Amino acid sequence: MPDLRRGNLLSALPRGGAVELVEVLAQGAGARIERIVSTGQVSPPGFWYDQPEDEFVVVLAGSAVLRFEGGDRRFDLRPGDWLEIPAHVRHRVEFTQADPPTVWLAVHGDITGTILAGA
Amino acid sequence: MPDLRRGNLLSALPRGGAVELVEVLAQGAGARIERIVSTGQVSPPGFWYDQPEDEFVVVLAGSAVLRFEGGDRRFDLRPGDWLEIPAHVRHRVEFTQADPPTVWLAVHGDITGTILAGA
C-alpha cells in the first residue's frame, strides 16, 4: 500500500504571521480541500469574494466573522460552525482571531447541486 | 440573498445511540460532504470498505482507529487528524470512542487526481 497523505489540522500553527497560511490538502477533478490558518487577516476594504465555485467552510479553532453582501448579513463563526457558500454569493472576511490562530477547513467545488433534506 | 445552509459540527450529538448518525451536509456533482457521529460502532468482522470514490476524512472530536488491509497498517486518529483514502484502498473501522461521541467530517469525490507538493 502506498503511503497515505495525512496530517493534523490543529498542529504546526503559525503565531501572528503577517500572511494567511493556505495549504491544499487534497485536490482532484471534483473538489479542492484546503486548511487555512488566519492570524488576524481580514478582507481589504471594499473587497468581496465572488467565487466561481461553491465553498463549504468550517471553523475548527479560533473565531471569525463573515459578512455577506445580500441583506448585509453577518455570521459569527466559532469552532464547529460550518457554512455553505454557493458560487457567486458575495462575501468578505470581517474578522479573524489572531492568537490562538483561527483554523478553517474549506472545500471548493460543485458541492451544492443536489437538493438535501432540510435545505 | 437566500438563506445559507449552516450548522455546527459539534452540537446536537447523540449519546450512546445504537447506530451511527450520518448527515449529508452538502452534495453536488463534485463531492459529498458528511458529518458522521460514531458512538462505539466498528466495522463488522471481516468487512472492508472498498469505495469507488476517494475520501478525505478528519476526526473532530473523540477518537478512532482505522485499519488498512495493505500492509495491515493502523492509524489512531485524534481531534484534528486527517487522512486521505484513495478509491479502492481497502480499510475498516476498528474502534470509535462512544462517550463523548466521535465526530468525523468526510468528503467523498474525485479529490486525489492532482499531484500536490509533499505528496
Side-chain angles (χ1 to χ4, degrees), chain B residues 55-71:
Chain B
E55 180 174 0
F56 175 97
V57 69
V58 53
V59 167
L60 300 175
S63 64
V65 177
L66 285 183
R67 181 173 155 208
F68 289 81
E69 193 177 40

Side-chain angles (χ1 to χ4, degrees), chain A:
Chain A
M1 187 178 79
D3 277 350
L4 298 175
R5 291 177 57 84
R6 60 197 179 102
N8 185 287
L9 298 173
L10 304 173
S11 59
L13 299 180
R15 293 265 160 179
V19 296
E20 235 167 22
L21 176 69
V22 180
E23 298 161 282
V24 179
L25 304 179
Q27 184 167 9
R32 182 174 81 256
I33 302 173
E34 295 174 343
R35 178 178 83 156
I36 302 162
V37 182
S38 305
T39 46
Q41 294 84 11
V42 299
S43 302
F47 174 85
W48 295 92
Y49 287 98
D50 186 342
Q51 302 177 132
E53 293 186 307
D54 308 320
E55 180 174 0
F56 174 95
V57 70
V58 54
V59 167
L60 301 176
S63 64
V65 177
L66 286 184
R67 182 174 155 206
F68 289 81
E69 193 178 41
D72 198 21
R73 296 186 68 183
R74 297 163 66 93
F75 295 103
D76 290 337
L77 302 178
R78 304 269 165 182
D81 284 340
W82 63 269
L83 198 60
E84 187 184 274
I85 308 174
H88 299 299
V89 168
R90 286 160 64 91
H91 61 284
R92 45 183 279 116
V93 179
E94 297 263 309
F95 170 79
T96 61
Q97 179 180 298
D99 190 13
T102 299
V103 180
W104 315 73
L105 186 72
V107 183
H108 303 268
D110 179 351
I111 56 174
T112 63
T114 302
I115 303 297
L116 301 176

